[in-house]
Amino acid sequence: MPTDTPQPKFVLVRPQMGENIGAAARAMWNFGLDRMCVVAPRDGWPNPNAVAMASGAGRLLDEAQLSPDLPAALSDCTYVFATTARPRELTKPVFSPEGAMKKAAQLIANGEKVAVLFGPERAGLENDDVARANAIITVPVNPAFASLNLAQCVLLMGYEWRRQIEQVPEEVFELGKADWATGQDVEALVAHYEDRLTEAGFFFPPEKAEGMKTVFRNLWSRMRLTRADVQLLHGVMRQMVRWKNSGTD
Amino acid sequence: MPTDTPQPKFVLVRPQMGENIGAAARAMWNFGLDRMCVVAPRDGWPNPNAVAMASGAGRLLDEAQLSPDLPAALSDCTYVFATTARPRELTKPVFSPEGAMKKAAQLIANGEKVAVLFGPERAGLENDDVARANAIITVPVNPAFASLNLAQCVLLMGYEWRRQIEQVPEEVFELGKADWATGQDVEALVAHYEDRLTEAGFFFPPEKAEGMKTVFRNLWSRMRLTRADVQLLHGVMRQMVRWKNSGTD
């Protein structure tokens, strides 16, 4: 059974190679999409090459809607996007992948049924297919080399869909198993280093000592140390002192 | 010669299959990126399978930087991102692809040299590789099915890079060869339809006529007609009248 997550339906129009259908299923499921529709696949249905390629996402093929033509595929849809690489002589809104999936998310939140059309590998959608869509999606590729294949195009739309619904933060900090060091931890580390380095004659000449200490303190702060880092750095200094006191070299 | 467009270097670390290296080159060039670095490729270099797969983007392989190990690959870099699928026990900032490429664009605009690391197909980057990076990039995939391959990961980073530098509008309107209809064009169309439909007895009963006319006018406005659409609709009505006057059926 497909998940009941609200989502657009991805419609592969007259796809040719089974491998590409399977790769498209994998690309969809990577981003949590599992409503595939296959319109008039060239090599019939089910397609063993598609099944072989889809490993791990084969369920999407088993549950795919099979339609004889595009009107049948779209009979339950209220808004349709067509992905096209080249401009058409048709008057239509043209969305970026981001803009399109943002609009799709809004429409779906309002209970609409949204489809995204992907054309056959060689030539893409025909104008007659595009004329059935409410809007066009164009991926901003290098004009000198626009060679996205079917599964790559599906992948980018899936990625943008997930970005729109998941609101991924642009940056977070992963702490591993660590905790951030507190101000007190850092102060103790600074004091430890200053004491030993003073003993060792590091802060020389005396008129530069304060400036050198400030640079050092700034380094620790800028690094944002964890407690484990602080322990490691204490250990480094203790060991240097131990080594010095052992008198060997 | 590589283009002189400022851009991050994409570093494939110990890649295994030549096909994947070639597909990565295509994915990069789709988004205008042409600085590839290959670290210790398993099957040697140059790799004929990579060349065969890269068709159209083979120049990137010819011009790729070949490095024996990761430190050599990164010797000229000031900021390094590592792409990883699974969390590591390392304390690091973690970026979304969007956040990472936004930061990369800022750093590069300031003259920094930025690299993005991609791990070998099977296991991804080792912790030792990730420890050489300043930050991590994680793609927000379906936790139940995270199976992006090397070229797909390169594709998504290339896509986000281009999005950051190109500022693609989320929606534009493509007019084909058409011009929008003016208010005057639409008024003339409304008048033509109202006149003929009145003659034909369409606006019935009389107390509903005004409401019906408003619905009609609203339809034309909502559609945003082009001049060509207006001509077509005039033609439809003229032909219906001609047909009626011909007396045949």
Side-chain angles (χ1 to χ4, degrees):
Chain A
M1 289 288 291
T3 59
D4 50 12
T5 318
Q7 58 179 278
K9 174 161 84 175
F10 276 21
V11 182
L12 310 191
V13 182
R14 300 182 302 278
Q16 302 177 328
M17 307 278 290
E19 290 79 356
N20 294 331
I21 303 172
R26 290 176 64 88
M28 285 176 65
W29 189 227
N30 262 302
F31 295 108
L33 292 160
D34 63 353
R35 308 281 167 78
M36 181 186 269
C37 174
V38 184
V39 177
R42 186 190 66 185
D43 300 337
W45 198 258
N47 181 319
N49 293 333
V51 173
M53 185 58 137
S55 65
R59 178 176 67 77
L60 274 68
L61 302 178
D62 300 339
E63 296 164 358
Q65 175 190 349
L66 179 65
S67 296
D69 53 35
L70 189 54
L74 300 181
S75 62
D76 64 338
C77 297
T78 60
Y79 199 97
V80 178
F81 291 100
T83 56
T84 73
R86 56 204 163 83
R88 311 297 180 123
E89 307 281 285
L90 294 165
T91 299
K92 288 242 193 263
V94 179
F95 286 88
S96 69
E98 177 181 30
M101 292 302 102
K102 196 174 282 181
K103 185 172 178 85
Q106 289 160 353
L107 293 167
I108 289 169
N110 287 332
E112 296 211 36
K113 299 252 189 183
V114 175
V116 183
L117 310 185
F118 299 88
E121 291 91 328
R122 188 150 292 278
L125 294 168
E126 291 177 12
N127 273 358
D128 194 50
D129 304 318
V130 177
R132 290 202 158 78
N134 299 89
I136 284 173
I137 310 176
T138 298
V139 179
V141 285
N142 176 3
F145 188 71
S147 78
L148 292 180
N149 66 31
L150 175 58
Q152 286 175 322
C153 192
V154 168
L155 184 84
L156 291 174
M157 296 310 145
Y159 167 76
E160 280 290 3
W161 169 257
R162 194 161 185 98
R163 239 167 48 79
Q164 296 314 315
I165 59 163
E166 235 193 63
Q167 302 299 330
V168 181
E170 291 192 0
E171 181 181 358
V172 295
F173 214 99
E174 182 166 285
L175 264 172
K177 285 176 180 151
D179 293 317
W180 289 121
T182 62
Q184 191 174 29
D185 297 330
V186 176
E187 284 302 318
L189 181 70
V190 167
H192 182 186
Y193 269 66
E194 284 189 3
D195 289 353
R196 290 299 153 277
L197 289 172
T198 301
E199 261 185 82
F202 176 75
F203 295 113
F204 186 86
E207 64 272 23
K208 297 237 168 126
E210 278 316 301
M212 291 168 81
K213 287 176 185 173
T214 302
V215 170
F216 225 129
R217 179 181 292 275
N218 186 51
L219 173 66
W220 301 138
S221 315
R222 199 180 69 223
M223 286 170 74
R224 290 207 76 193
L225 298 166
T226 65
R227 295 200 127 154
D229 295 333
V230 168
Q231 290 315 315
L232 184 74
L233 290 165
H234 277 299
V236 166
M237 182 51 84
R238 273 195 296 270
Q239 186 59 26
M240 292 307 290
V241 171
R242 210 173 284 136
W243 186 43
K244 183 255 168 200
N245 290 341
S246 75
T248 63
D249 59 10
Chain B
M1 290 287 295
T3 59
D4 50 12
T5 318
Q7 57 179 280
K9 174 161 83 177
F10 276 21
V11 181
L12 310 190
V13 182
R14 299 182 301 279
Q16 302 178 328
M17 306 279 288
E19 289 78 357
N20 295 332
I21 303 172
R26 289 175 66 88
M28 285 177 64
W29 190 225
N30 262 304
F31 294 109
L33 291 161
D34 62 353
R35 308 280 167 80
M36 180 186 270
C37 174
V38 184
V39 177
R42 186 190 66 184
D43 299 337
W45 198 258
N47 181 319
N49 294 333
V51 174
M53 185 58 137
S55 66
R59 179 176 66 77
L60 275 68
L61 303 179
D62 300 338
E63 297 165 357
Q65 175 190 351
L66 178 66
S67 295
D69 54 35
L70 189 53
L74 301 181
S75 62
D76 64 338
C77 297
T78 60
Y79 198 96
V80 178
F81 291 100
T83 57
T84 73
R86 56 205 162 81
R88 312 297 179 121
E89 307 282 285
L90 293 165
T91 299
K92 288 244 194 261
V94 179
F95 287 88
S96 70
E98 177 182 29
M101 292 302 102
K102 196 175 281 181
K103 185 173 178 82
Q106 289 160 354
L107 293 167
I108 288 168
N110 288 330
E112 296 211 36
K113 298 252 188 181
V114 175
V116 183
L117 310 186
F118 299 88
E121 290 91 329
R122 189 151 292 277
L125 293 168
E126 292 178 10
N127 274 358
D128 194 49
D129 304 318
V130 178
R132 289 204 158 76
N134 299 89
I136 284 173
I137 309 176
T138 298
V139 179
V141 285
N142 176 3
F145 188 71
S147 79
L148 292 181
N149 67 30
L150 175 57
Q152 286 175 322
C153 192
V154 168
L155 185 83
L156 291 174
M157 296 310 144
Y159 168 76
E160 280 290 2
W161 168 256
R162 194 163 186 97
R163 240 168 46 79
Q164 295 315 315
I165 58 162
E166 235 194 64
Q167 302 298 331
V168 182
E170 291 191 1
E171 181 181 359
V172 294
F173 213 98
E174 182 166 285
L175 263 171
K177 287 176 181 151
D179 293 316
W180 289 121
T182 63
Q184 191 175 30
D185 297 330
V186 177
E187 283 303 317
L189 182 70
V190 167
H192 183 186
Y193 269 66
E194 284 189 2
D195 289 353
R196 290 300 155 276
L197 289 171
T198 301
E199 263 184 82
F202 177 75
F203 296 112
F204 185 88
E207 64 272 23
K208 296 239 169 124
E210 279 316 300
M212 292 168 83
K213 287 176 185 174
T214 302
V215 169
F216 226 128
R217 179 181 292 275
N218 185 51
L219 174 65
W220 300 138
S221 313
R222 199 180 68 222
M223 285 171 74
R224 289 209 74 196
L225 298 166
T226 65
R227 296 200 125 155
D229 295 333
V230 168
Q231 290 316 314
L232 185 75
L233 291 165
H234 276 299
V236 166
M237 181 51 83
R238 273 195 297 267
Q239 186 60 25
M240 293 306 289
V241 171
R242 212 172 284 138
W243 185 45
K244 183 252 168 202
N245 290 342
S246 75
T248 63
D249 60 8

